[in-house]
Amino acid sequence: MNKKLIIPWSERPAGDNSIMWRYAENPIIGRYHIPASNSIFNSAVVPFKDGFAGVFRCDNKAVQMNIFAGFSSDGIHWEINHEPIQMKAGNTDMIDSDYKYDPRVTFIEDRYWVTWCNGYHGPTIGIAYTFDFVSFYQCENAFLPFNRNGVLFPEKINGKYCMLSRPSDNGHTPFGDIYLSYSPDMKYWGEHRCVMKVADFKDSAWQCTKIGAGTVPIRTDEGWLMFYHGVINTCNGFRYSMGAALLDLRNPAKVLYRSQPYLLAPAAPYELAGDVPNVVFPCAALSDGEKIAVYYGAADTVVGLAFGYLDEIIDFLKNNSLLL
Ligand code: BMA
């Protein structure tokens, strides 16, 4: 965690007692932000040089899903390339991809790693690395189809790369739990472990249908803090909300605390209405060690920001945890 980092931020609004609150200027990225886009949403950002870089999910007006690089000096105002990322071959020549969506970005050791949902006979987890957000090198897919929500930890754990993911189906999966897998080389993945499963309807219905890893975990003294999405199937379809979990630092398959109430659920107009209504889908978080800014896709259409204080979120998790 870089303590000198200046992250996007606005204070909790007067009279608001929620643990996390929305940026008043949301959405920070609108659906037509680049000429070709139909929608720009579930996207990931990281500190880069004197500012920030990101990988953005832009669906074009043919509704082809692809990922685009972008840059910002303040993390709020973004210049997104008008052309999608063109992958070069990394640790494999097999870089087939029918579509790319829901990217995450993680800096590990010397480079930025991008994971995304990669279309290869159905969704699975694609991996690429870049040093500069100009040249990207695609690697072997992490898993067999079908899988979504691949999220790397920002450092090796016990000497290996570690990735959260969510085995799924080829459609609008009506189930899903979070697993983790290890790799010595970013090519071969194994030692798969179940991390957390959906909650019981009676305990926490917002996360009773499926859950998926969201943001790259943030190292804290209390454990890895990770924001995730939880889904309930309603008579109006799926509703996606955001919660958080603290995972054990040395064995992140062990959940220490997990939010019983959600931290953010669709309520603002841009979360309630869009191409897919009622979606809050976190994909990235920035922290300066005290404050946190979470980037989330809203209604599969635009990008929003939510803020909170690290210690308040951790206290909230400790005091409002699902019994594990
Ligand atoms: C999931 C993915 C996400 C999307 C969500 C809600 O299955 O397709 O990209 O945000 O559904 O539509």
Side-chain angles (χ1 to χ4, degrees):
M1 215 153 14
N2 180 351
K3 291 210 182 227
K4 287 188 209 117
L5 184 70
I6 296 174
I7 65 169
W9 182 252
S10 66
E11 283 300 333
R12 176 184 276 119
D16 185 346
N17 62 2
S18 34
I19 299 297
M20 296 194 72
W21 58 95
R22 294 169 178 80
Y23 184 42
E25 307 292 317
N26 274 354
I28 60 162
I29 300 173
R31 64 184 309 161
Y32 301 129
H33 194 84
I34 62 172
S37 60
N38 162 76
S39 46
I40 305 181
F41 50 115
N42 310 344
S43 299
V45 311
V46 283
F48 178 68
K49 294 188 176 165
D50 293 335
F52 302 91
V55 177
F56 295 84
R57 170 176 177 176
C58 305
D59 295 3
N60 69 15
K61 292 183 179 72
V63 193
Q64 294 171 295
M65 298 159 195
N66 217 328
I67 56 178
F68 293 60
F71 302 89
S72 172
S73 56
D74 62 4
I76 295 174
H77 302 92
W78 287 89
E79 285 191 17
I80 300 175
N81 294 346
H82 292 184
E83 294 300 323
I85 292 169
Q86 298 296 330
M87 295 288 176
K88 299 171 185 163
N91 68 14
T92 175
D93 288 331
M94 204 298 289
I95 60 171
D96 298 359
S97 179
D98 290 335
Y99 48 80
K100 298 181 177 74
Y101 63 79
D102 297 0
R104 274 67 164 193
V105 185
T106 321
F107 183 77
I108 310 175
E109 294 175 344
D110 66 343
R111 66 192 72 186
Y112 300 87
W113 291 92
V114 185
T115 53
W116 69 91
C117 181
N118 193 41
Y120 178 72
H121 304 275
T124 182
I125 305 303
I127 303 177
Y129 63 86
T130 181
F131 296 97
D132 54 10
F133 290 86
V134 175
S135 298
F136 289 80
Y137 299 88
Q138 188 172 336
C139 298
E140 283 288 333
N141 292 321
F143 307 117
L144 294 166
F146 310 112
N147 202 309
R148 291 186 173 95
N149 300 304
V151 178
L152 285 164
F153 284 76
E155 57 188 79
K156 287 182 178 168
I157 294 176
N158 304 321
K160 291 174 193 150
Y161 297 104
C162 183
M163 194 197 297
L164 299 164
S165 76
R166 210 278 305 284
S168 67
D169 69 11
N170 200 12
H172 300 298
T173 317
F175 61 88
D177 303 318
I178 300 176
Y179 286 76
L180 70 71
S181 310
Y182 289 97
S183 171
D185 56 4
M186 280 285 187
K187 187 168 192 177
Y188 299 101
W189 293 87
E191 298 171 70
H192 312 292
R193 299 287 181 273
C194 184
V195 179
M196 50 197 244
K197 303 183 101 144
V198 292
D200 274 354
F201 182 85
K202 68 174 170 34
D203 296 331
S204 186
W206 66 268
Q207 50 183 327
C208 75
T209 299
K210 54 180 170 174
I211 55 175
T215 63
V216 169
I218 295 170
R219 177 186 267 282
T220 76
D221 293 343
E222 309 271 354
W224 292 108
L225 176 64
M226 195 266 300
F227 295 89
Y228 65 95
H229 67 259
V231 180
I232 179 172
N233 194 10
T234 73
C235 48
N236 197 33
F238 290 151
R239 179 178 192 249
Y240 284 69
S241 306
M242 177 177 88
L246 269 178
L247 310 177
D248 186 84
L249 287 175
R250 268 189 258 163
N251 173 17
K254 186 174 167 206
V255 181
L256 304 175
Y257 302 99
R258 169 178 171 190
S259 50
Q260 183 171 25
Y262 57 70
L263 284 162
L264 198 74
Y270 50 87
E271 297 159 355
L272 298 173
D275 288 357
V276 181
N278 306 317
V279 180
V280 160
F281 197 96
C283 286
L286 297 172
S287 179
D288 59 5
E290 181 197 351
K291 309 187 289 292
I292 286 188
V294 173
Y295 291 77
Y296 65 96
D300 282 12
T301 306
V302 298
V303 176
L305 262 177
F307 304 120
Y309 285 102
L310 202 51
D311 56 356
E312 290 184 6
I313 294 167
I314 290 172
D315 282 351
F316 176 82
L317 292 180
K318 288 183 172 174
N319 296 324
N320 296 275
S321 185
L322 271 179
L323 291 179
L324 301 166

